[in-house]
Every structure is written in C-alpha cells, then in structure tokens.
Amino acid sequence: MQKRVKAWSDVIKPYLDQLGKTKRLVMITLTYEEVEGWRPGHIREFMLKVRKCLGNLLLAYAWVAENQKRGAVHYHVILLVEKGANIPMPDKDGLWVHGSSRIETARSPYYIVSYAGKEYQKVGIFPKGLRMFAVWISKEVVSGITRWFFRLSALPV
C-alpha cells in the first residue's frame, strides 16, 4: 500500500511543480460519527459523487483509511484539482452522510504517504472487507510512458 501511494505522489509532484499555479491540492478528512459506522462501499460512493461533482476539474486523487484512537475508521483524501474548482463541503452537501468532514489545502502530495504505513495506525484492526487505499490519475495529467511506469507500481516486486 505504501509503495503504491508513494508512486502516486511521485507522479503528481513534478506535474504540480510545473503547473502548480493552475492546480490545487485539497485534503479532505472523512470521519464516521459512530465507531461501528463503517460499511463496505461508503468511500466508493463518496468518490463517485466527487468525480461526478467535479467532472474534468478533478485531475487525480488518492485516499487512505486510518483507525482513530476511539476505534472508528476515517479516511484521508487528497484531490488534485484545477485552481478555482468549487469543492463542496462533504458532510453539509450530502456527499458524506456518515459523519463529519474537514477540508484544507494540502502542501504536498507526499502528505498522504504518512497515513499509508501500518506503524502509524493508532489502535485496533480494520473491519473485514475494508479497502485500505485507492489512487487514480487522469489521462490528461501524465504522458503515456509515465502512466505505464505508474501502473507497474501495482505489481509485486
């Protein structure tokens, strides 16, 4: 997991350095209201809503699941969007109906890598069936060869 999320960050960073003034990294934290609130498909539904809402303004995303100290799962999501994209507040606009959310500007795509390591998990184990992470990059963001190398990061060593 950490390898794949880092590969995503490695691909995004040069793109941001080159076009950073026209792009923006947004960090969203999604928290469950109830400790036992997690169910399969919640993060998938959220990301589908985000993709529909932002359309072509969404250039890439990565998300990672983490356990809170109280034992509830929460998600850290980084979105790479065109500057000026209107990011709706997930809990207030119906994108995340399972608890609260927070939006802030992310300084680096590598910030999410820190959440991908097991040594950073606070307590307990994840519920059975939980997807721990996902990454996605639009075809418009990177060249074909870079995309090919990025896809290789999913393969075992």
Side-chain angles (χ1 to χ4, degrees), residues 11 39 126 142 144 153:
V11 169
R39 295 292 177 269
F126 287 115
V142 293
S153 71

Side-chain angles (χ1 to χ4, degrees), residues 84-148:
N86 181 28
I87 311 294
M89 191 65 179
D91 56 342
K92 293 185 176 40
D93 293 328
L95 301 177
W96 183 253
V97 297
H98 312 290
S100 62
S101 64
R102 187 176 77 222
I103 297 178
E104 54 194 305
T105 299
R107 293 184 208 123
S108 165
Y110 291 102
Y111 184 69
I112 200 161
V113 176
S114 66
Y115 294 107
K118 286 189 177 184
E119 64 270 19
Y120 293 99
Q121 293 303 322
K122 293 175 179 73
V123 294
I125 57 173
F126 287 115
K128 186 176 181 177
L130 177 120
R131 247 185 107 184
M132 295 179 67
F133 77 100
V135 294
W136 174 80
I137 301 174
S138 168
K139 291 179 183 176
E140 288 77 37
V141 172
V142 293
S143 67
I145 192 73
T146 303
R147 190 171 187 75
W148 185 77

